[in-house]
Amino acid sequence: MRRARRVPTLVLCMALPLGAQRPGADSLVVRGFDLESAQPREALALYRRALAGETLVPALLGMERIFMEAGQGDSLLAPIEMAVRVLPRDGVVRAVQFRTLAALRREDELRIAFRSWARAAPGEPAPFKEYARTLLELGQADAADSVLDVATRAIRDPRDFTAELAQVAAARGRWADAARRWRTALVIEEALVPAAVAALAQAPVAPRDTMREALLATPAAVAPRRALAELELLWGTPRRGWSALADLVPTQETAQAWRSFAESAEERGAPLAARDAWLALHRRQRDPDALLRATVASLDGGDASAALPMAVEAQGLLDPKLALRDALPARLRALAALGRAAEASALVDSVRPSLPAMQLRILEGQLAWGFLRAGDVTRARPLVARMDDDEASALLAVYDGDLATAREKLAGADASNTLLIVPRTLLARSTVRRAPATGAALALLAKGDSVAAIAALEDAASEVSDAAPFVLALAARVRTARGDVPGAIAAWRHIVTTHVNAPEAAEGDLAWARLALASGDAATATARLEHLILTYRASALVPQARRTLDEARRRAGGTSS
Amino acid sequence: MIRRRVNRGLLAACAIAFVAGARVLAAQHLLVPMDDEQRNHLKAYGLTYAALQRGEKGEWLLNYRGGAFLLGDTPASRRRAALDGIAVAPIDDGTLTAIRGEMAGGNMDAVPLEKAPRIAIYTPPTAQPWDDAVTLALDYAGIPYTRIWDPQVLQGKLAEFEWLHLFHEDFTGQFNKFHISYRGTPWFVNQVNRATADARQLGFANVPALKKAVAERIRAYVENGGFLFAMCGASETLELALAGSGVDIANSFADGSPVDPEADRRLDWSRAFATQGARLEPNGLVNAMSDIDGHQVNVPGRRRPLGTFTLFAFSAKLDPVPTMLVQDHRFVLPDYYGVTTSFTRSLLKPGTRILATVDGAPLAKYVHGTYGKGAYTFLGGHDPEDPQHEVGAPPTDLALYPTSPGYRLILNNVLFPSAQKKPRKT
């Protein structure tokens, strides 16, 4: 019903200016439109009076809206019959007729109406198209297919029906065929991209490769590629979406497609695909704004190392004021994310005199986070003191070992900051108020001094006895990451055997098993994984353990002989 | 429809649980549901196989909850179910009696599972640049098997196994006509050289002659009571090799002589398992073997697009054998290509049972029949979870498809010889 109402409203919008040339009847339609929602009876009376001449069509559409809203579609049949007598070839009148008969499920009359229209407009594709569309709306894809089959033989140019045939193929689940037909239709009519995307989006995973082949077929055309790119975004494969567009010959049309894809990818939370599109646009058109958006998208996607050179380039290309306002923060953000806080600090110092106070505070905030990320407590402290940021204060307090203050600061803070995951867990697991050794160990970890951090964490575990397995697991993870296999196995074994009920015990089993497997000890790996699965049944690690267990069994001899 | 789940509330009192997660109840049986409650259908076959291998008995509850298994409630089965993430429900005798009552009233039946079959997979000793769906399925399910190859077949080793699987092998000896696309690639050159050397070592003039001899041993194996399961190109080429026993059906690149121009007329289809009256593809540069395959994936002008295929519903009480082979939690499945994807229905022998048809086409996807004292099953296509599987593509990771309905069809065949079959009543 909603769909049926949308079309008449659009047509009314187009029809009113035309009618405005004839005072009288058209004013009836305008007044009727104004009264539709509040006084539908009065509106209906006005539409009845306007049901002639040039206002016949808008008046009929107005009546359709009122009767359909009231669930009185059958009351519309007489006005439709009259309108059809006057304008038997009019597409809008016939569309109202088809919609009404379909809504009333009068399928025999619908068929008769189609035949009557086809007779009245011989050689015209419109009756076939409208009837096929209506049948599709009724869920009769096979019948729609039959109608189009007749149409392609009856009408001189069968290409007229490509889009409808594509719709039917999609409705029947013939996805590869639908994709091929949509490609043909899109090459003819680019405006059909949204319709193609809507029709193909529901395709299951299995036929998608064939559909991709169809839409990527040579010669490359922009519209089918645009449709595929949008589909890939909907299917959760945004990088493939960009691949569909990336190799198009750069033209103005291509550039528009890239821009449109980049915006769409941003909206759909695919920043790295958006980044690639913005960057290509910049390379094609030397567009600093696009480059800046690429930089931000890259940072949003977690790729700071790619973002940094882009930010530097954007800073050089943009107007100096804009560079300072937009590109510099992006560059600082990239440096902070990469742990290059000292560089970021020098950068801020170099532009400090020309920065407004407000912007300087913002940049210093980013700088503070850079130092905190790098575990540089000394340089972070004065900057944090000037900030009104509970999260930064809390992290600094953790590094200082002041867990009580940190707990207080984090009470109402946003939980999305990834730098705070470890401190938050520590605070949740421990009731200790002061733990300077643990804080210092975490700062060493942030500095990247892994050897010192391991020793410090293992020493500090006793300081926070209620969170000891958590702190020990941090050390064990660092040992694992460093490739210290004997040390890591010993550390995990200690956790598994002495902290049996801790959440880290399951992780310990899995890590121990993986290390054993990597060392060729499939038997130990199997034993640890079986222990994990059978002991920590509710652990989120069980699926990973099962997968690793399959691998361990294969290594241990497999099933074949 | 006739296999829809019946009275799902029956087991409400004994909710499905991962066994390790459930308290040890005073249950006598473990019900392994195979409907959508099951989280790992493929490993459930391995669980059942392992129980049989330990000498325990089981039952296959055809059409009951997707083709559930009934096992004894033993610590070993519970442990394995827990380790592999298989949903099972401990049930007592009372509940089982209720289930049997329910089954008696519907299109369902219980088939005893007696013995774990000894499985042979016919596969070359060296790695191939494609995966083998059956090997993948068996490895994933944890079902043991033995690899055999031409020398073992010719030495009569097939008699040691109840179940034989063939996959991608070309029994016409033409290497799947891959010379068209891969003639210069190292793997193909090695394959041809190795096969040619093997043929000579075993006393045959060329590879087609060797493969015909192997095909004949396989035919005799089935005739004497063996179970054969063939997928992909092995099914079609085995038929051609058997029918073409005394005819030159191989192109000159394989045996040095062209295909017998009278080959089609001279083929003896009485020797083949499932098909008859097919026509060979005599052109060595057309990558198809015959018109048995309805999809012709490697022939651009003939390639039929993929759609879906539908499993046929049989009467569990009257037709337990085909019913076993189509046990699944889905009945319409997405199709997938192989060098042989489907079987032209008009070329099937009258005694061949069609287990699944390709929707909207005169093609069968999955067929079964008896031959002598044994039975054969052919399943078209290469990999149920990789519809376009190509040479060189990485093997499918079944851990990502633990509930694959397509792979279930393969594993149905593995357990099928375990079943103590009742005589067909029709």
PDB file of all heavy atoms in Angstrom, chain B residues 46-72:
ATOM      1  N   GLY B  46      30.923 -38.492  12.457  1.00  0.00           N
ATOM      2  CA  GLY B  46      32.137 -39.055  13.038  1.00  0.00           C
ATOM      3  C   GLY B  46      31.874 -39.645  14.411  1.00  0.00           C
ATOM      4  O   GLY B  46      32.413 -40.698  14.772  1.00  0.00           O
ATOM      5  N   LEU B  47      31.028 -38.969  15.181  1.00  0.00           N
ATOM      6  CA  LEU B  47      30.654 -39.476  16.509  1.00  0.00           C
ATOM      7  C   LEU B  47      29.981 -40.846  16.379  1.00  0.00           C
ATOM      8  O   LEU B  47      30.307 -41.784  17.116  1.00  0.00           O
ATOM      9  CB  LEU B  47      29.682 -38.478  17.163  1.00  0.00           C
ATOM     10  CG  LEU B  47      29.026 -38.906  18.464  1.00  0.00           C
ATOM     11  CD1 LEU B  47      30.039 -38.869  19.594  1.00  0.00           C
ATOM     12  CD2 LEU B  47      27.848 -37.984  18.806  1.00  0.00           C
ATOM     13  N   THR B  48      29.080 -40.945  15.417  1.00  0.00           N
ATOM     14  CA  THR B  48      28.359 -42.210  15.223  1.00  0.00           C
ATOM     15  C   THR B  48      29.310 -43.304  14.734  1.00  0.00           C
ATOM     16  O   THR B  48      29.286 -44.439  15.219  1.00  0.00           O
ATOM     17  CB  THR B  48      27.209 -41.985  14.214  1.00  0.00           C
ATOM     18  OG1 THR B  48      26.392 -40.919  14.697  1.00  0.00           O
ATOM     19  CG2 THR B  48      26.375 -43.232  14.038  1.00  0.00           C
ATOM     20  N   TYR B  49      30.148 -42.916  13.792  1.00  0.00           N
ATOM     21  CA  TYR B  49      31.102 -43.892  13.261  1.00  0.00           C
ATOM     22  C   TYR B  49      32.010 -44.411  14.384  1.00  0.00           C
ATOM     23  O   TYR B  49      32.266 -45.617  14.491  1.00  0.00           O
ATOM     24  CB  TYR B  49      31.947 -43.240  12.150  1.00  0.00           C
ATOM     25  CG  TYR B  49      32.847 -44.210  11.427  1.00  0.00           C
ATOM     26  CD1 TYR B  49      32.454 -44.788  10.225  1.00  0.00           C
ATOM     27  CD2 TYR B  49      34.097 -44.565  11.941  1.00  0.00           C
ATOM     28  CE1 TYR B  49      33.273 -45.692   9.561  1.00  0.00           C
ATOM     29  CE2 TYR B  49      34.913 -45.466  11.296  1.00  0.00           C
ATOM     30  CZ  TYR B  49      34.508 -46.028  10.098  1.00  0.00           C
ATOM     31  OH  TYR B  49      35.312 -46.916   9.447  1.00  0.00           O
ATOM     32  N   ALA B  50      32.470 -43.485  15.229  1.00  0.00           N
ATOM     33  CA  ALA B  50      33.384 -43.888  16.306  1.00  0.00           C
ATOM     34  C   ALA B  50      32.695 -44.855  17.266  1.00  0.00           C
ATOM     35  O   ALA B  50      33.307 -45.810  17.766  1.00  0.00           O
ATOM     36  CB  ALA B  50      33.881 -42.659  17.051  1.00  0.00           C
ATOM     37  N   ALA B  51      31.421 -44.609  17.534  1.00  0.00           N
ATOM     38  CA  ALA B  51      30.686 -45.518  18.429  1.00  0.00           C
ATOM     39  C   ALA B  51      30.607 -46.915  17.812  1.00  0.00           C
ATOM     40  O   ALA B  51      30.827 -47.927  18.492  1.00  0.00           O
ATOM     41  CB  ALA B  51      29.288 -44.967  18.687  1.00  0.00           C
ATOM     42  N   LEU B  52      30.330 -46.968  16.512  1.00  0.00           N
ATOM     43  CA  LEU B  52      30.268 -48.271  15.839  1.00  0.00           C
ATOM     44  C   LEU B  52      31.638 -48.942  15.852  1.00  0.00           C
ATOM     45  O   LEU B  52      31.767 -50.147  16.036  1.00  0.00           O
ATOM     46  CB  LEU B  52      29.779 -48.098  14.398  1.00  0.00           C
ATOM     47  CG  LEU B  52      28.382 -47.502  14.213  1.00  0.00           C
ATOM     48  CD1 LEU B  52      28.073 -47.292  12.740  1.00  0.00           C
ATOM     49  CD2 LEU B  52      27.327 -48.404  14.847  1.00  0.00           C
ATOM     50  N   GLN B  53      32.648 -48.127  15.677  1.00  0.00           N
ATOM     51  CA  GLN B  53      34.010 -48.665  15.644  1.00  0.00           C
ATOM     52  C   GLN B  53      34.396 -49.281  16.990  1.00  0.00           C
ATOM     53  O   GLN B  53      35.166 -50.238  17.047  1.00  0.00           O
ATOM     54  CB  GLN B  53      34.974 -47.531  15.297  1.00  0.00           C
ATOM     55  CG  GLN B  53      36.256 -47.995  14.663  1.00  0.00           C
ATOM     56  CD  GLN B  53      37.112 -46.813  14.262  1.00  0.00           C
ATOM     57  OE1 GLN B  53      37.004 -45.715  14.804  1.00  0.00           O
ATOM     58  NE2 GLN B  53      37.987 -47.042  13.303  1.00  0.00           N
ATOM     59  N   ARG B  54      33.825 -48.726  18.058  1.00  0.00           N
ATOM     60  CA  ARG B  54      34.106 -49.291  19.379  1.00  0.00           C
ATOM     61  C   ARG B  54      33.266 -50.534  19.653  1.00  0.00           C
ATOM     62  O   ARG B  54      33.313 -51.086  20.747  1.00  0.00           O
ATOM     63  CB  ARG B  54      33.798 -48.242  20.470  1.00  0.00           C
ATOM     64  CG  ARG B  54      34.782 -47.095  20.534  1.00  0.00           C
ATOM     65  CD  ARG B  54      34.591 -46.285  21.797  1.00  0.00           C
ATOM     66  NE  ARG B  54      33.268 -45.723  21.888  1.00  0.00           N
ATOM     67  CZ  ARG B  54      32.910 -44.532  21.413  1.00  0.00           C
ATOM     68  NH1 ARG B  54      33.807 -43.778  20.814  1.00  0.00           N
ATOM     69  NH2 ARG B  54      31.681 -44.112  21.533  1.00  0.00           N
ATOM     70  N   GLY B  55      32.454 -50.921  18.688  1.00  0.00           N
ATOM     71  CA  GLY B  55      31.628 -52.110  18.859  1.00  0.00           C
ATOM     72  C   GLY B  55      30.271 -51.823  19.434  1.00  0.00           C
ATOM     73  O   GLY B  55      29.508 -52.752  19.733  1.00  0.00           O
ATOM     74  N   GLU B  56      29.961 -50.551  19.620  1.00  0.00           N
ATOM     75  CA  GLU B  56      28.635 -50.212  20.129  1.00  0.00           C
ATOM     76  C   GLU B  56      27.623 -50.262  18.983  1.00  0.00           C
ATOM     77  O   GLU B  56      27.992 -50.195  17.818  1.00  0.00           O
ATOM     78  CB  GLU B  56      28.656 -48.804  20.751  1.00  0.00           C
ATOM     79  CG  GLU B  56      29.614 -48.703  21.934  1.00  0.00           C
ATOM     80  CD  GLU B  56      29.885 -47.262  22.337  1.00  0.00           C
ATOM     81  OE1 GLU B  56      29.092 -46.383  21.991  1.00  0.00           O
ATOM     82  OE2 GLU B  56      30.917 -47.032  22.985  1.00  0.00           O
ATOM     83  N   LYS B  57      26.364 -50.365  19.338  1.00  0.00           N
ATOM     84  CA  LYS B  57      25.308 -50.371  18.326  1.00  0.00           C
ATOM     85  C   LYS B  57      24.662 -48.981  18.278  1.00  0.00           C
ATOM     86  O   LYS B  57      24.700 -48.241  19.258  1.00  0.00           O
ATOM     87  CB  LYS B  57      24.230 -51.408  18.656  1.00  0.00           C
ATOM     88  CG  LYS B  57      24.759 -52.826  18.815  1.00  0.00           C
ATOM     89  CD  LYS B  57      25.250 -53.393  17.499  1.00  0.00           C
ATOM     90  CE  LYS B  57      25.743 -54.828  17.701  1.00  0.00           C
ATOM     91  NZ  LYS B  57      26.615 -55.276  16.598  1.00  0.00           N
ATOM     92  N   GLY B  58      24.071 -48.711  17.172  1.00  0.00           N
ATOM     93  CA  GLY B  58      23.359 -47.445  17.035  1.00  0.00           C
ATOM     94  C   GLY B  58      22.151 -47.610  16.134  1.00  0.00           C
ATOM     95  O   GLY B  58      21.911 -48.698  15.597  1.00  0.00           O
ATOM     96  N   GLU B  59      21.411 -46.550  16.015  1.00  0.00           N
ATOM     97  CA  GLU B  59      20.279 -46.570  15.087  1.00  0.00           C
ATOM     98  C   GLU B  59      20.258 -45.256  14.325  1.00  0.00           C
ATOM     99  O   GLU B  59      20.629 -44.201  14.866  1.00  0.00           O
ATOM    100  CB  GLU B  59      18.951 -46.739  15.846  1.00  0.00           C
ATOM    101  CG  GLU B  59      18.733 -48.121  16.387  1.00  0.00           C
ATOM    102  CD  GLU B  59      17.380 -48.229  17.075  1.00  0.00           C
ATOM    103  OE1 GLU B  59      16.371 -47.873  16.454  1.00  0.00           O
ATOM    104  OE2 GLU B  59      17.362 -48.659  18.241  1.00  0.00           O
ATOM    105  N   TRP B  60      19.789 -45.357  13.106  1.00  0.00           N
ATOM    106  CA  TRP B  60      19.603 -44.161  12.290  1.00  0.00           C
ATOM    107  C   TRP B  60      18.105 -43.933  12.229  1.00  0.00           C
ATOM    108  O   TRP B  60      17.367 -44.770  11.694  1.00  0.00           O
ATOM    109  CB  TRP B  60      20.165 -44.413  10.898  1.00  0.00           C
ATOM    110  CG  TRP B  60      20.490 -43.172  10.120  1.00  0.00           C
ATOM    111  CD1 TRP B  60      20.093 -41.900  10.380  1.00  0.00           C
ATOM    112  CD2 TRP B  60      21.298 -43.118   8.943  1.00  0.00           C
ATOM    113  NE1 TRP B  60      20.600 -41.043   9.443  1.00  0.00           N
ATOM    114  CE2 TRP B  60      21.349 -41.755   8.546  1.00  0.00           C
ATOM    115  CE3 TRP B  60      21.985 -44.056   8.184  1.00  0.00           C
ATOM    116  CZ2 TRP B  60      22.053 -41.339   7.418  1.00  0.00           C
ATOM    117  CZ3 TRP B  60      22.680 -43.647   7.066  1.00  0.00           C
ATOM    118  CH2 TRP B  60      22.724 -42.300   6.685  1.00  0.00           C
ATOM    119  N   LEU B  61      17.647 -42.845  12.797  1.00  0.00           N
ATOM    120  CA  LEU B  61      16.217 -42.564  12.871  1.00  0.00           C
ATOM    121  C   LEU B  61      15.826 -41.769  11.622  1.00  0.00           C
ATOM    122  O   LEU B  61      15.829 -40.528  11.623  1.00  0.00           O
ATOM    123  CB  LEU B  61      15.882 -41.803  14.149  1.00  0.00           C
ATOM    124  CG  LEU B  61      16.385 -42.456  15.452  1.00  0.00           C
ATOM    125  CD1 LEU B  61      15.895 -41.660  16.670  1.00  0.00           C
ATOM    126  CD2 LEU B  61      15.940 -43.915  15.554  1.00  0.00           C
ATOM    127  N   LEU B  62      15.511 -42.489  10.577  1.00  0.00           N
ATOM    128  CA  LEU B  62      15.276 -41.860   9.278  1.00  0.00           C
ATOM    129  C   LEU B  62      14.080 -40.923   9.335  1.00  0.00           C
ATOM    130  O   LEU B  62      13.014 -41.293   9.831  1.00  0.00           O
ATOM    131  CB  LEU B  62      15.051 -42.927   8.208  1.00  0.00           C
ATOM    132  CG  LEU B  62      16.184 -43.948   8.039  1.00  0.00           C
ATOM    133  CD1 LEU B  62      15.860 -44.922   6.922  1.00  0.00           C
ATOM    134  CD2 LEU B  62      17.518 -43.269   7.792  1.00  0.00           C
ATOM    135  N   ASN B  63      14.296 -39.739   8.808  1.00  0.00           N
ATOM    136  CA  ASN B  63      13.265 -38.691   8.734  1.00  0.00           C
ATOM    137  C   ASN B  63      12.839 -38.172  10.095  1.00  0.00           C
ATOM    138  O   ASN B  63      11.914 -37.371  10.181  1.00  0.00           O
ATOM    139  CB  ASN B  63      12.013 -39.160   7.967  1.00  0.00           C
ATOM    140  CG  ASN B  63      12.291 -39.328   6.494  1.00  0.00           C
ATOM    141  OD1 ASN B  63      13.359 -38.944   6.020  1.00  0.00           O
ATOM    142  ND2 ASN B  63      11.354 -39.898   5.770  1.00  0.00           N
ATOM    143  N   TYR B  64      13.462 -38.623  11.162  1.00  0.00           N
ATOM    144  CA  TYR B  64      13.158 -38.089  12.479  1.00  0.00           C
ATOM    145  C   TYR B  64      14.209 -37.029  12.815  1.00  0.00           C
ATOM    146  O   TYR B  64      15.401 -37.326  12.899  1.00  0.00           O
ATOM    147  CB  TYR B  64      13.164 -39.188  13.549  1.00  0.00           C
ATOM    148  CG  TYR B  64      12.866 -38.653  14.944  1.00  0.00           C
ATOM    149  CD1 TYR B  64      11.567 -38.323  15.315  1.00  0.00           C
ATOM    150  CD2 TYR B  64      13.892 -38.441  15.860  1.00  0.00           C
ATOM    151  CE1 TYR B  64      11.303 -37.804  16.563  1.00  0.00           C
ATOM    152  CE2 TYR B  64      13.633 -37.928  17.113  1.00  0.00           C
ATOM    153  CZ  TYR B  64      12.335 -37.608  17.465  1.00  0.00           C
ATOM    154  OH  TYR B  64      12.075 -37.081  18.702  1.00  0.00           O
ATOM    155  N   ARG B  65      13.770 -35.810  12.949  1.00  0.00           N
ATOM    156  CA  ARG B  65      14.640 -34.686  13.290  1.00  0.00           C
ATOM    157  C   ARG B  65      15.873 -34.615  12.382  1.00  0.00           C
ATOM    158  O   ARG B  65      17.015 -34.583  12.828  1.00  0.00           O
ATOM    159  CB  ARG B  65      15.044 -34.745  14.758  1.00  0.00           C
ATOM    160  CG  ARG B  65      13.828 -34.729  15.665  1.00  0.00           C
ATOM    161  CD  ARG B  65      14.151 -34.314  17.052  1.00  0.00           C
ATOM    162  NE  ARG B  65      14.788 -33.017  17.092  1.00  0.00           N
ATOM    163  CZ  ARG B  65      15.259 -32.464  18.190  1.00  0.00           C
ATOM    164  NH1 ARG B  65      15.124 -33.072  19.344  1.00  0.00           N
ATOM    165  NH2 ARG B  65      15.838 -31.301  18.163  1.00  0.00           N
ATOM    166  N   GLY B  66      15.592 -34.616  11.083  1.00  0.00           N
ATOM    167  CA  GLY B  66      16.669 -34.452  10.103  1.00  0.00           C
ATOM    168  C   GLY B  66      17.509 -35.691   9.905  1.00  0.00           C
ATOM    169  O   GLY B  66      18.588 -35.619   9.327  1.00  0.00           O
ATOM    170  N   GLY B  67      17.034 -36.829  10.383  1.00  0.00           N
ATOM    171  CA  GLY B  67      17.823 -38.059  10.270  1.00  0.00           C
ATOM    172  C   GLY B  67      18.727 -38.224  11.477  1.00  0.00           C
ATOM    173  O   GLY B  67      19.956 -38.364  11.337  1.00  0.00           O
ATOM    174  N   ALA B  68      18.119 -38.212  12.659  1.00  0.00           N
ATOM    175  CA  ALA B  68      18.897 -38.252  13.907  1.00  0.00           C
ATOM    176  C   ALA B  68      19.558 -39.622  14.096  1.00  0.00           C
ATOM    177  O   ALA B  68      19.154 -40.618  13.480  1.00  0.00           O
ATOM    178  CB  ALA B  68      17.962 -37.972  15.088  1.00  0.00           C
ATOM    179  N   PHE B  69      20.565 -39.644  14.952  1.00  0.00           N
ATOM    180  CA  PHE B  69      21.201 -40.913  15.333  1.00  0.00           C
ATOM    181  C   PHE B  69      20.876 -41.204  16.793  1.00  0.00           C
ATOM    182  O   PHE B  69      20.766 -40.278  17.614  1.00  0.00           O
ATOM    183  CB  PHE B  69      22.719 -40.833  15.154  1.00  0.00           C
ATOM    184  CG  PHE B  69      23.133 -40.614  13.731  1.00  0.00           C
ATOM    185  CD1 PHE B  69      23.662 -39.397  13.330  1.00  0.00           C
ATOM    186  CD2 PHE B  69      22.978 -41.613  12.783  1.00  0.00           C
ATOM    187  CE1 PHE B  69      24.028 -39.182  12.012  1.00  0.00           C
ATOM    188  CE2 PHE B  69      23.345 -41.409  11.458  1.00  0.00           C
ATOM    189  CZ  PHE B  69      23.865 -40.189  11.075  1.00  0.00           C
ATOM    190  N   LEU B  70      20.766 -42.473  17.071  1.00  0.00           N
ATOM    191  CA  LEU B  70      20.539 -42.900  18.443  1.00  0.00           C
ATOM    192  C   LEU B  70      21.725 -43.768  18.845  1.00  0.00           C
ATOM    193  O   LEU B  70      21.989 -44.797  18.217  1.00  0.00           O
ATOM    194  CB  LEU B  70      19.240 -43.707  18.543  1.00  0.00           C
ATOM    195  CG  LEU B  70      18.838 -44.117  19.959  1.00  0.00           C
ATOM    196  CD1 LEU B  70      18.377 -42.896  20.759  1.00  0.00           C
ATOM    197  CD2 LEU B  70      17.737 -45.166  19.917  1.00  0.00           C
ATOM    198  N   LEU B  71      22.433 -43.339  19.875  1.00  0.00           N
ATOM    199  CA  LEU B  71      23.619 -44.073  20.325  1.00  0.00           C
ATOM    200  C   LEU B  71      23.442 -44.462  21.784  1.00  0.00           C
ATOM    201  O   LEU B  71      22.593 -43.898  22.492  1.00  0.00           O
ATOM    202  CB  LEU B  71      24.868 -43.192  20.188  1.00  0.00           C
ATOM    203  CG  LEU B  71      25.142 -42.611  18.796  1.00  0.00           C
ATOM    204  CD1 LEU B  71      26.358 -41.698  18.857  1.00  0.00           C
ATOM    205  CD2 LEU B  71      25.369 -43.734  17.789  1.00  0.00           C
ATOM    206  N   GLY B  72      24.276 -45.365  22.225  1.00  0.00           N
ATOM    207  CA  GLY B  72      24.291 -45.689  23.642  1.00  0.00           C
ATOM    208  C   GLY B  72      24.899 -44.535  24.416  1.00  0.00           C
ATOM    209  O   GLY B  72      25.775 -43.824  23.910  1.00  0.00           O
TER     210      GLY B  72
END
